[in-house]
Amino acid sequence: MKCFNHYGGYLCLPRSASFIPAPEPSINPTEAFNPCPLGYEPHGDSCVDVDECEREEHDCQPSQECINTLGAFNCQCPRGYSKVGTECIDIDECRYRYCQHRCVNVPGSFSCQCEPGFQLGGNNRSCVDVNECEMGAPCSQRCFNTYGTFMCRCDQGYELGPDGFACNDIDECRSSSYHCQFQCVNEPGKFSCVCPEGYQLVGTRMCQDINECETGEHQCTDTQTCVNIHGRYQCVDTDRCQDPYVHVSDNRCVCPHNKPACRDLPYSVVHRYMTITSERSVPSDIFLIQATNILTGSLNTFRIRSGDDNRDFYIR
């Protein structure tokens, strides 16, 4: 190889190669002589900077910005871009985790987004909880704010519906048959107990018989006696003595021995009215009848013989 000198360096060429130097460039006599350094131009007796950016005498790419400097210019990328070679490449700011929740990269910039139940804070990067209860959450009764969401709750007597917002009335009467002694009536958010006619509510659930004979709510006449029974009352004649018996007190009839018809009849008949409750344990004492022994060693026994539709029965 043979070494040939070249502008700013040298060339290694085969020895058979020939080297023809280029002619020297001709000087254009029309170009005005510029006594100022590169990037400046004369202005009177001084040199002033040339704004290549304003005159568009720069070689910046369309994606770059031209920044004029003294005697020269710089090609810079806009904010959000980095210079790679002669091109401006968008910077993916989401790689640096600027956002608390989600980051969305856009050309030259980025934006932060929050998960449902949050909103951007004042710095446009952090996420703060949203109080949905103060912003019209669709709870029909009570609303409780939680971190990132909310919960609906219902008042006593209601239950939360499948949608999680509506409150539906609980039918307490259907859930149990032991709420009331007699009958349960469902109401919005609660229930109430009612009693049958002739009874009054004691407390909130129990029923008690009304004694019409004591309260004066009966319609018995002066010749009748009021007898209270469950749920109502009954008027019975004060004098129920039938001939040959003679009425001697409110419930006692006597058959005088001087009457021939009384010879084979009991001396006295006593009328008593008793309310016999149901579900009474057996055996149980209901009423005590006691006889006076006239003869020594005699034994008195009583036995129910018969009864009628008026609930009267006979004892021997």
Side-chain angles (χ1 to χ4, degrees):
M1 304 293 287
K2 185 179 181 180
C3 178
F4 290 90
N5 185 51
H6 188 58
Y7 295 108
Y10 65 93
L11 296 174
C12 294
L13 298 175
R15 292 184 176 273
S16 60
S18 61
F19 182 77
I20 302 175
E24 294 291 334
S26 61
I27 299 175
N28 190 358
T30 59
E31 290 184 2
F33 175 73
N34 185 6
C36 297
L38 183 65
Y40 291 85
E41 63 182 2
H43 185 75
D45 296 334
S46 62
C47 294
V48 295
D49 175 59
V50 176
D51 191 346
E52 295 86 354
C53 298
E54 183 178 354
R55 296 184 180 183
E56 296 186 355
E57 296 177 357
H58 60 84
D59 57 354
C60 297
Q61 296 295 327
S63 61
Q64 298 174 343
E65 295 179 357
C66 178
I67 306 298
N68 184 59
T69 61
L70 292 177
F73 63 92
N74 288 329
C75 296
Q76 295 184 359
C77 294
R79 185 177 180 180
Y81 291 83
S82 62
K83 191 174 182 180
V84 179
T86 60
E87 296 294 331
C88 292
I89 306 301
D90 175 54
I91 299 174
D92 187 1
E93 295 86 356
C94 296
R95 295 181 302 172
Y96 305 104
R97 299 183 179 179
Y98 290 141
C99 301
Q100 181 179 358
H101 284 182
R102 290 182 296 173
C103 177
V104 178
N105 185 59
V106 295
S109 182
F110 70 97
S111 63
C112 295
Q113 295 180 357
C114 297
E115 300 293 341
F118 296 87
Q119 63 183 3
L120 279 176
N123 58 5
N124 290 328
R125 293 186 180 184
S126 61
C127 296
V128 294
D129 176 56
V130 175
N131 192 339
E132 294 86 353
C133 297
E134 296 179 354
M135 300 177 64
C139 296
S140 62
Q141 289 185 355
R142 291 187 291 172
C143 177
F144 292 92
N145 184 57
T146 59
Y147 189 70
T149 182
F150 65 97
M151 294 186 301
C152 296
R153 290 294 181 264
C154 299
D155 297 331
Q156 185 176 2
Y158 294 86
E159 61 183 357
L160 201 63
D163 59 357
F165 306 130
C167 291
N168 303 322
D169 174 56
I170 299 175
D171 190 350
E172 296 86 355
C173 300
R174 181 177 297 178
S175 61
S176 175
S177 59
Y178 298 99
H179 289 310
C180 300
Q181 184 181 10
F182 178 67
Q183 183 178 355
C184 177
V185 178
N186 184 58
E187 298 178 6
K190 58 180 181 178
F191 69 95
S192 62
C193 297
V194 296
C195 296
E197 185 179 359
Y199 290 82
Q200 61 184 358
L201 194 65
V202 178
T204 58
R205 301 185 178 186
M206 303 301 293
C207 293
Q208 185 181 42
D209 174 56
I210 299 175
N211 192 335
E212 295 86 355
C213 299
E214 293 181 357
T215 60
E217 299 178 11
H218 62 86
Q219 297 180 357
C220 298
T221 63
D222 295 337
T223 60
Q224 293 178 324
T225 301
C226 178
V227 178
N228 182 62
I229 57 179
H230 287 306
R232 54 194 179 93
Y233 65 93
Q234 186 174 351
C235 297
V236 296
D237 294 333
T238 304
D239 184 5
R240 298 193 60 185
C241 301
Q242 299 178 0
D243 189 66
Y245 287 89
V246 178
H247 181 255
V248 295
S249 63
D250 290 342
N251 59 351
R252 187 181 182 196
C253 301
V254 175
C255 192
H257 292 298
N258 55 5
K259 288 186 178 182
C262 295
R263 182 174 302 173
D264 297 328
L265 296 177
Y267 172 71
S268 65
V269 175
V270 178
H271 298 275
R272 295 190 182 275
Y273 297 91
M274 296 175 293
T275 300
I276 303 176
T277 60
S278 61
E279 300 180 0
R280 180 180 291 269
S281 60
V282 178
S284 176
D285 293 333
I286 299 176
F287 183 68
L288 177 63
I289 299 178
Q290 188 174 6
T292 302
N293 291 332
I294 301 176
L295 301 176
T296 304
S298 63
L299 178 63
N300 298 309
T301 59
F302 302 89
R303 184 171 55 176
I304 298 176
R305 298 293 296 174
S306 63
D308 58 19
D309 295 337
N310 295 327
R311 305 182 188 179
D312 298 328
F313 58 88
Y314 299 90
I315 294 180
R316 182 175 179 85

